[in-house]
Every structure is written in structure tokens, then in C-alpha cells.
Amino acid sequence: MSVRIIDGKAISGQVNDETAEMTADLAKRHGVRPGIAVILVGSDPASQVYVGSKGKKARELGFRSEMIVLPEATAQEALLAEIARLNADPGIHGILVQSPTPRQIDERAVILAIDPAKDVDCFHPFNVGKLLIGDTDGFLPCTPWGVMVLLERSGIRPAGKHAVILGRSNIVGKPLLALLMQKTAGADATVTVCHSRTPDIAMFTRQADIVVAAIGKARFLTAEMIKPGAVVIDVGINRVADPSTKSGSRLVGDVAYDEVAAKAGAITPVPGGVGPMTIAMLMRNTLRACQKSIGVVPA
Ligand SMILES: NC(=O)c1ccc[n+]([C@@H]2O[C@H](COP(=O)([O-])OP(=O)(O)OC[C@H]3O[C@@H](n4cnc5c(N)ncnc54)[C@H](OP(=O)(O)O)[C@@H]3O)[C@@H](O)[C@H]2O)c1
């Protein structure tokens, strides 16, 4: 049996094309365009890259994009004041603060300060609660939503399947549990979540029809841990040494790709799998926020 490669680059491209089309339509019919504000506190090089690519994608899709770079020593109050200014700006529909923030910043207070109607990362407890109870009126968290869209657009139906998630973070594992277990089309899975205190993780993954690895450990999931034909979604992004490359390193996922691909039914690569979906869903959330702000029912 040959493995199917789930192409996150191609699927995110489709999602982005649709977003651009809906954005142009919104501008034509209602004279508004989505606005996103990304705040970066400090000068962490990886964060600069992430923030830069979010701004670039927003502009490509026809959004207004505001990038706010604050010094490393920014006080909590100054950051909260910036968020309050953006909350009050009717031209900004989505606000996000790039993580990690410097030590003096309380990330929980930052999340609570963002207007839930502009919380396009879906980190605010109001939106997380809506997600859990299956209220589709809120936002969906970008990376887990990206995983659901990858499955859906690859014709993989989780209904009645056993999905095993590795990792229970607030950003990936927990919200993905909520999405996969919902009583709704495209979900309806039976879900197991494993974490660092789970003994014998392979005992669970070997039973799984769908395995999602999101733990941040390079090549953790090996072929002997999956059953033949399983769908394997790799959320992990890990930099490992590779003297054969110019930079001396490269990115790999949480899955031992070559050996798992030889046994799986479908698999996402790293890079080019879940990664591009995250930004695509962030942009879709920002479009949704803009549509809702003018009373247009989002698609
Ligand atoms: N593609 C994307 O857009 C995207 C987005 C977000 C994250 N990521 C990547 O996904 C990975 C996970 O990110 P995250 O933010 O969820 O990480 P995180 O907050 O560090 O959480 C890691 C989770 O994995 C569990 N874990 C760690 N080591 C384990 C082990 N040896 N066995 C079993 N469970 C283990 C932890 O368990 P405990 O809870 O018990 O500590 C925790 O629940 C990272 O590589 C990250 O870069 C990618």
C-alpha cells in the first residue's frame, strides 16, 4: 500500500485563495477590509520571522496589517495599553501577541486583555469555552483547526475512528481534543490524549486510526508505534543538527518520517504539512472577525 502525502502547502493555498476572494468581495460589497495587528515584544529572531510571515500573508490577502514592535524591557502596563488602543480601533479585527513574551509579561493577563471579538488566536477563555461546548459562533484555534481542515480536505473522516493525540498543551493538544470529539460533521471521533506522564504511549498509538503528534520531540513517533494504514499528522517543529545543509541544521517533526511513511496510510510532511495551515486559519479567523463586526454571517 502506498502512503498518501497530505500536502499542507497545497491545501493552505486553497484556503488562502478562498480568503482572498471573500476579502475582495467584502471590500466590493461593504467597503471594509480585515485588519490584523501583531505585537512583538523584544527581538527574538524566530518570533521576528513568524511575525514577519503573518504580516506578509495578511497583505497578500488584501488585509490591513499593523506590526507593533515593542522593546524587550516593555512594562506589562504599556503592553496592556497598546492592546486597549487596538481593541478600540474599528479598523483592526484581529489582535495577537507573539509568544514567548519577556519574563516581566504575564501572558495570562495579556490573553484576558484582548477583546474576545478580536481574539483570532482563540486563546481567550471565552472563546476556548465556546469551542468546548461546540458553539460555532466563536473562533477556532488556528493549528488544531488547520489539522481538522487537512483531514476534511483529504477526505479523511474522523467519525467513529480512534484518534490519539500526543501532547496536551493549551495551544494544540487540548483544543484538538475538543474539535475531534465534537458531535458534529467532520468530527465524532473517539479521542485519547497522551502526555509526558502516560506510561507506554505505544500501547495507545498502535490502536489509533489517526495519530496526531504534538510534543516537540524530534522523530518521537516511530513505525513500530503505529498500526498499518494509520493516518499520521505531524504538528511538531524541531530544529536538528544536519552538517549536510548550509546552515548546519534543519527542521523535522515529531514523527520519524521515512519509516512511518512506509507503514502509514497518509502522512503530513514537515515542513509543508500543518505549518502553513496555522497561518491560513489565522487569516480566516481575522476575516471572520471582520465579517462579524459588520453583521455579515461568516461562511
Ligand atoms: N505547525 C505549527 O503551526 C505549530 C503550532 C504550534 C506548535 N507546533 C509545534 O508542536 C510541538 C508541540 O507544541 P506545543 O506548543 O503544544 O508544546 P508544549 O506546550 O511544550 O507541550 C508539549 C506537550 O507534549 C507533551 N510531551 C512532551 N514530551 C513528551 C514525551 N516524551 N512523551 C509524551 N508527551 C510529551 C507535554 O506533556 P506534559 O503536559 O505532561 O508536560 C505537553 O503536553 C512543538 O514542536 C511546536 O513547535 C507547531
Side-chain angles (χ1 to χ4, degrees):
M1 191 177 64
S2 71
V3 68
R4 179 141 58 103
I5 311 299
I6 299 175
D7 186 346
K9 238 176 131 181
I11 296 174
S12 65
Q14 289 166 9
V15 172
N16 285 328
D17 286 350
E18 293 160 12
T19 302
E21 211 172 288
M22 287 188 274
T23 298
D25 187 62
L26 204 61
K28 203 164 98 190
R29 287 174 198 266
H30 302 279
V32 292
R33 63 177 177 143
I36 185 167
V38 185
I39 305 178
L40 173 64
V41 187
S43 53
D44 175 63
S47 294
Q48 282 176 336
V49 172
Y50 291 140
V51 162
S53 49
K54 286 169 188 170
K56 183 166 172 270
K57 184 56 71 187
R59 288 188 298 278
E60 277 171 21
L61 299 181
F63 291 11
R64 170 185 161 198
S65 162
E66 192 173 330
M67 178 88 69
I68 297 129
V69 182
L70 301 174
E72 183 83 26
T74 299
Q76 169 91 356
E77 294 69 34
L79 176 57
L80 294 183
E82 195 59 36
I83 292 171
R85 176 185 75 77
L86 294 165
N87 279 343
D89 183 341
I92 291 294
H93 307 96
I95 303 169
L96 56 106
V97 178
Q98 184 65 41
S99 187
T101 51
R103 220 172 284 157
Q104 73 277 14
I105 304 293
D106 173 359
E107 288 202 10
R108 280 186 59 201
V110 168
I111 289 169
L112 289 174
I114 294 172
D115 179 348
K118 299 189 178 189
D119 170 41
V120 285
D121 262 337
C122 192
F123 290 165
H124 194 291
F126 182 79
N127 288 318
V128 176
K130 281 189 162 191
L131 163 69
L132 196 61
I133 62 172
D135 181 341
T136 53
D137 183 48
F139 296 112
L140 297 180
C142 303
T143 301
W145 188 19
V147 170
M148 299 303 286
V149 172
L150 281 180
L151 293 174
E152 185 195 327
R153 298 200 180 198
S154 304
I156 297 162
R157 303 193 200 301
K161 304 267 169 56
H162 184 197
V164 173
I165 301 170
L166 306 185
R168 58 174 165 185
S169 72
N170 288 338
I171 296 177
V172 188
K174 280 186 205 162
L176 186 58
L177 161 70
L179 286 174
L180 279 165
M181 73 188 284
Q182 284 306 319
K183 191 171 180 172
T184 184
D188 281 325
T190 302
V191 190
T192 301
V193 179
C194 300
H195 46 76
S196 68
R197 305 299 297 273
T198 307
D200 198 1
I201 287 178
M203 195 256 293
F204 295 99
T205 53
R206 276 191 211 111
Q207 297 172 34
D209 304 299
I210 300 170
V211 184
V212 183
I215 61 174
K217 297 273 177 286
R219 305 186 187 103
F220 179 90
L221 188 82
T222 55
E224 56 109 26
M225 294 172 75
I226 67 158
K227 75 174 177 187
V231 172
V232 178
I233 306 291
D234 192 352
V235 180
I237 303 174
N238 309 286
R239 189 163 286 284
V240 295
D242 183 352
S244 73
T245 63
K246 207 170 141 200
S247 65
S249 68
R250 70 188 170 100
L251 294 180
V252 298
D254 289 346
V255 175
Y257 185 83
D258 291 338
E259 63 178 71
V260 171
K263 191 173 178 186
I267 190 167
T268 59
V270 175
V274 176
M277 295 303 293
T278 298
I279 292 190
M281 304 331 291
L282 175 69
M283 297 303 146
R284 185 57 69 88
N285 268 344
T286 306
L287 170 66
R288 280 175 65 90
C290 177
Q291 289 170 320
K292 286 169 71 170
S293 76
I294 57 164
V296 172
V297 180

